[in-house]
Amino acid sequence: MTDEWGARLAGDRALLDRGSTAERVADILRQRITEGVFLPGTRLSEENLREALGISRNTLREAFRLLSHEGLLEHQLNRGVFVRLLSVEDIRDLYAMRRILECGALRNLGVVPPEAVTGVGAAIEAAGEAAARGDWSAVGTANMRFHQAIADLAGSRRVAEAVRALLAELRLVFLVVADPRQLHEPYLAANRKLYELLAAGDARAAEEALQRYFDDAEAQLLAAYTAAAS
């Protein structure tokens, strides 16, 4: 454990209490993984994490189990628990699921309630502000919020939870790519165009645009990920 993320997790200890559940511990670890505190391929020391967070072995192992089920961690026999390093096949599968869930949310939307796109617009503004200050990691986070807001238009808790898990996995891919600006900058305008279509109430055109968006994004991400991982 490095001093940097050891101190970060020690700060997280204040968010927990002696009765904290594995779900709360998993929430903290999930957040730190998607922020890049733990990079893909990192081995997570059970002893150090327990000490930093002040939790029991059983609680931590249950949190590991939950995050493994989400695809963020993997247990390697006789080696321990690691943050997953996704494969090219994983990326293709993630985009296949995103097309089903996010495009499906727009396809079945029918009439677009004006108040329903508030979250989409807020994510657009957050991305623009982050880009203006050159914080491309924060642009990536805002992009995740944008797509979560699109999924939320389905009005389904299960769809929202499924997309949240997919986006957390996708963030593992972003963390490997060397140039986050090159990765995220092209989608500032594309996201705004999608928002404008939704704000205008044209769910059908928004769905068609999102299909093209995913085609372009998948190809770009595969190329960038392959280059970074080679």
Side-chain angles (χ1 to χ4, degrees):
M1 176 184 285
T2 66
D3 291 341
E4 181 180 354
W5 63 261
R8 184 71 171 270
L9 286 177
D12 288 330
R13 187 171 184 165
L15 303 175
L16 300 170
D17 56 41
R18 296 183 65 180
S20 290
T21 64
E23 287 82 2
R24 291 183 65 187
V25 174
D27 287 342
I28 287 175
L29 293 179
R30 184 188 302 106
Q31 182 67 26
R32 298 302 170 236
I33 289 168
T34 57
E35 288 174 350
V37 175
F38 305 108
L39 293 174
T42 300
R43 179 182 177 275
L44 299 184
S45 165
E46 184 176 302
E47 180 180 354
N48 289 339
L49 286 171
R50 286 177 53 217
E51 180 180 351
L53 294 173
I55 55 176
S56 71
R57 177 180 288 105
N58 287 342
T59 296
L60 181 59
R61 287 182 176 177
E62 177 61 14
F64 280 170
R65 187 192 67 80
L66 293 170
L67 295 176
S68 295
H69 181 71
E70 294 177 15
L72 297 181
L73 301 179
E74 62 179 354
H75 183 271
Q76 297 182 13
L77 188 62
N78 298 324
R79 296 192 64 210
V81 176
F82 292 77
V83 180
R84 278 189 66 210
L85 184 63
L86 272 65
S87 67
V88 166
E89 290 72 23
D90 287 321
I91 297 172
R92 292 193 176 107
D93 193 45
L94 286 169
Y95 272 89
M97 285 296 294
R98 294 185 73 190
R99 289 182 180 92
I100 292 169
L101 294 172
E102 291 185 55
C103 294
L106 298 181
R107 186 179 313 119
N108 296 311
L109 191 57
V111 177
V112 183
E115 67 276 9
V117 297
T118 301
V120 181
I124 292 290
E125 296 309 313
E129 292 169 4
R133 62 178 186 267
D135 188 346
W136 295 99
S137 177
V139 172
T141 298
N143 186 50
M144 298 292 97
R145 287 175 52 198
F146 172 82
H147 286 283
Q148 187 66 56
I150 287 179
D152 290 346
L153 294 174
S156 164
R157 175 179 59 81
R158 290 176 175 83
V159 169
E161 290 177 353
V163 169
R164 187 173 295 109
L166 291 173
L167 294 175
E169 278 194 83
L170 194 64
R171 195 62 185 263
L172 295 180
V173 182
F174 293 169
L175 294 172
V176 174
V177 176
D179 187 349
R181 178 172 184 170
Q182 183 181 19
L183 186 64
H184 298 304
E185 190 170 28
Y187 298 99
L188 292 169
N191 287 355
R192 184 168 292 279
K193 178 61 177 177
L194 279 169
Y195 168 69
E196 290 170 352
L197 290 170
L198 286 170
D202 196 342
R204 180 174 180 179
E207 183 206 346
E208 292 172 351
L210 187 58
Q211 291 277 7
R212 295 191 296 271
Y213 178 114
F214 281 152
D215 289 344
D216 292 342
E218 181 181 6
Q220 183 215 13
L221 187 56
L222 283 169
Y225 188 73
T226 302
S230 62

